[in-house]
Amino acid sequence: MAAEGARGGLSRGEFARRGGLSPKALRLCERSGLLVPDRVGENGYRFYAPGRVERVRRIGLLRRLGVPLALVAQVVGPGGAEAAELVGGWWRAQEEAMRSRRGALEELWLSWAKGVVLVWA
């Protein structure tokens, strides 16, 4: 397979593709220490063990949810109840923030429906 290096491992692009991340997102994960390459060739190309695809998939799913990298780093390992609770707590906070924003938006809509324009000081 062309995506595998001479001594095995998936190229950066193939690893990102299999995990559902863009190469740019994978580079960000590398810089943050979430996904350290298994091997760096003499030419600087990075290679990853095929067995780590599940980890990159989890990271991709968490990032699509908008989970901050700091929390991703806490929960990306084996997972389990603690990881589920941490992500659940984060999600509940996001929902509460969205409810609050929704209230502000509804207030604006009501004011516009009445022909009143709010002026923010």
mmCIF file of all heavy atoms in Angstrom, residues 5-22:
data_model
loop_
_atom_site.group_PDB
_atom_site.id
_atom_site.type_symbol
_atom_site.label_atom_id
_atom_site.label_comp_id
_atom_site.label_asym_id
_atom_site.label_seq_id
_atom_site.Cartn_x
_atom_site.Cartn_y
_atom_site.Cartn_z
ATOM 1 N N GLY A 5 4.605 3.413 5.016
ATOM 2 C CA GLY A 5 6.035 3.630 4.844
ATOM 3 C C GLY A 5 6.766 2.313 4.654
ATOM 4 O O GLY A 5 6.220 1.230 4.864
ATOM 5 N N ALA A 6 8.017 2.395 4.278
ATOM 6 C CA ALA A 6 8.816 1.205 4.020
ATOM 7 C C ALA A 6 8.891 0.304 5.252
ATOM 8 O O ALA A 6 8.913 -0.907 5.135
ATOM 9 C CB ALA A 6 10.213 1.612 3.567
ATOM 10 N N ARG A 7 8.925 0.895 6.433
ATOM 11 C CA ARG A 7 8.992 0.091 7.661
ATOM 12 C C ARG A 7 7.624 0.016 8.337
ATOM 13 O O ARG A 7 7.514 -0.227 9.517
ATOM 14 C CB ARG A 7 10.016 0.687 8.617
ATOM 15 C CG ARG A 7 11.432 0.501 8.100
ATOM 16 C CD ARG A 7 12.429 0.926 9.113
ATOM 17 N NE ARG A 7 12.447 2.387 9.181
ATOM 18 C CZ ARG A 7 13.104 3.084 10.086
ATOM 19 N NH1 ARG A 7 13.782 2.472 11.008
ATOM 20 N NH2 ARG A 7 13.084 4.399 10.073
ATOM 21 N N GLY A 8 6.580 0.218 7.586
ATOM 22 C CA GLY A 8 5.232 0.125 8.142
ATOM 23 C C GLY A 8 4.756 1.452 8.686
ATOM 24 O O GLY A 8 5.515 2.392 8.870
ATOM 25 N N GLY A 9 3.501 1.506 8.907
ATOM 26 C CA GLY A 9 2.888 2.722 9.420
ATOM 27 C C GLY A 9 2.148 3.470 8.338
ATOM 28 O O GLY A 9 2.465 3.349 7.155
ATOM 29 N N LEU A 10 1.161 4.197 8.755
ATOM 30 C CA LEU A 10 0.350 4.985 7.829
ATOM 31 C C LEU A 10 0.938 6.380 7.688
ATOM 32 O O LEU A 10 1.387 6.969 8.675
ATOM 33 C CB LEU A 10 -1.086 5.099 8.360
ATOM 34 C CG LEU A 10 -1.839 3.788 8.560
ATOM 35 C CD1 LEU A 10 -3.162 4.042 9.261
ATOM 36 C CD2 LEU A 10 -2.057 3.100 7.237
ATOM 37 N N SER A 11 0.906 6.886 6.474
ATOM 38 C CA SER A 11 1.357 8.264 6.263
ATOM 39 C C SER A 11 0.414 9.207 7.000
ATOM 40 O O SER A 11 -0.707 8.840 7.372
ATOM 41 C CB SER A 11 1.345 8.595 4.770
ATOM 42 O OG SER A 11 0.003 8.644 4.299
ATOM 43 N N ARG A 12 0.843 10.435 7.189
ATOM 44 C CA ARG A 12 0.025 11.438 7.871
ATOM 45 C C ARG A 12 -1.328 11.600 7.176
ATOM 46 O O ARG A 12 -2.372 11.608 7.798
ATOM 47 C CB ARG A 12 0.751 12.773 7.935
ATOM 48 C CG ARG A 12 -0.094 13.869 8.558
ATOM 49 C CD ARG A 12 0.547 15.207 8.392
ATOM 50 N NE ARG A 12 1.464 15.453 9.493
ATOM 51 C CZ ARG A 12 2.333 16.443 9.518
ATOM 52 N NH1 ARG A 12 2.438 17.261 8.492
ATOM 53 N NH2 ARG A 12 3.115 16.632 10.543
ATOM 54 N N GLY A 13 -1.306 11.714 5.850
ATOM 55 C CA GLY A 13 -2.539 11.908 5.094
ATOM 56 C C GLY A 13 -3.493 10.732 5.213
ATOM 57 O O GLY A 13 -4.696 10.907 5.402
ATOM 58 N N GLU A 14 -2.972 9.514 5.094
ATOM 59 C CA GLU A 14 -3.809 8.322 5.195
ATOM 60 C C GLU A 14 -4.357 8.164 6.610
ATOM 61 O O GLU A 14 -5.520 7.816 6.803
ATOM 62 C CB GLU A 14 -3.022 7.075 4.783
ATOM 63 C CG GLU A 14 -3.818 5.788 4.856
ATOM 64 C CD GLU A 14 -4.983 5.706 3.884
ATOM 65 O OE1 GLU A 14 -5.082 6.550 2.962
ATOM 66 O OE2 GLU A 14 -5.827 4.811 4.045
ATOM 67 N N PHE A 15 -3.526 8.397 7.596
ATOM 68 C CA PHE A 15 -3.960 8.302 8.992
ATOM 69 C C PHE A 15 -5.075 9.311 9.269
ATOM 70 O O PHE A 15 -6.098 8.972 9.868
ATOM 71 C CB PHE A 15 -2.759 8.554 9.907
ATOM 72 C CG PHE A 15 -3.029 8.343 11.367
ATOM 73 C CD1 PHE A 15 -3.306 7.065 11.865
ATOM 74 C CD2 PHE A 15 -2.976 9.399 12.250
ATOM 75 C CE1 PHE A 15 -3.530 6.870 13.222
ATOM 76 C CE2 PHE A 15 -3.194 9.214 13.604
ATOM 77 C CZ PHE A 15 -3.473 7.947 14.089
ATOM 78 N N ALA A 16 -4.905 10.539 8.798
ATOM 79 C CA ALA A 16 -5.935 11.568 8.976
ATOM 80 C C ALA A 16 -7.220 11.152 8.269
ATOM 81 O O ALA A 16 -8.314 11.260 8.836
ATOM 82 C CB ALA A 16 -5.436 12.910 8.435
ATOM 83 N N ARG A 17 -7.113 10.650 7.039
ATOM 84 C CA ARG A 17 -8.294 10.240 6.278
ATOM 85 C C ARG A 17 -9.051 9.125 6.989
ATOM 86 O O ARG A 17 -10.257 9.187 7.160
ATOM 87 C CB ARG A 17 -7.896 9.785 4.875
ATOM 88 C CG ARG A 17 -9.096 9.514 3.966
ATOM 89 C CD ARG A 17 -8.699 8.843 2.668
ATOM 90 N NE ARG A 17 -8.167 7.494 2.848
ATOM 91 C CZ ARG A 17 -8.898 6.423 3.185
ATOM 92 N NH1 ARG A 17 -10.177 6.536 3.405
ATOM 93 N NH2 ARG A 17 -8.321 5.232 3.312
ATOM 94 N N ARG A 18 -8.333 8.114 7.436
ATOM 95 C CA ARG A 18 -8.982 6.988 8.120
ATOM 96 C C ARG A 18 -9.637 7.420 9.429
ATOM 97 O O ARG A 18 -10.628 6.840 9.844
ATOM 98 C CB ARG A 18 -7.981 5.875 8.395
ATOM 99 C CG ARG A 18 -7.556 5.138 7.160
ATOM 100 C CD ARG A 18 -6.721 3.941 7.516
ATOM 101 N NE ARG A 18 -6.171 3.312 6.331
ATOM 102 C CZ ARG A 18 -5.506 2.167 6.371
ATOM 103 N NH1 ARG A 18 -5.306 1.536 7.504
ATOM 104 N NH2 ARG A 18 -5.027 1.663 5.251
ATOM 105 N N GLY A 19 -9.066 8.412 10.048
ATOM 106 C CA GLY A 19 -9.614 8.880 11.313
ATOM 107 C C GLY A 19 -10.656 9.966 11.189
ATOM 108 O O GLY A 19 -11.268 10.369 12.173
ATOM 109 N N GLY A 20 -10.869 10.467 9.973
ATOM 110 C CA GLY A 20 -11.879 11.498 9.787
ATOM 111 C C GLY A 20 -11.414 12.898 10.133
ATOM 112 O O GLY A 20 -12.235 13.783 10.373
ATOM 113 N N LEU A 21 -10.115 13.111 10.163
ATOM 114 C CA LEU A 21 -9.564 14.445 10.409
ATOM 115 C C LEU A 21 -8.951 14.977 9.124
ATOM 116 O O LEU A 21 -8.479 14.210 8.286
ATOM 117 C CB LEU A 21 -8.454 14.405 11.467
ATOM 118 C CG LEU A 21 -8.827 14.194 12.920
ATOM 119 C CD1 LEU A 21 -7.556 14.185 13.766
ATOM 120 C CD2 LEU A 21 -9.774 15.252 13.417
ATOM 121 N N SER A 22 -8.908 16.279 9.007
ATOM 122 C CA SER A 22 -8.159 16.880 7.908
ATOM 123 C C SER A 22 -6.674 16.837 8.280
ATOM 124 O O SER A 22 -6.331 16.762 9.462
ATOM 125 C CB SER A 22 -8.599 18.329 7.701
ATOM 126 O OG SER A 22 -8.184 19.128 8.796
#
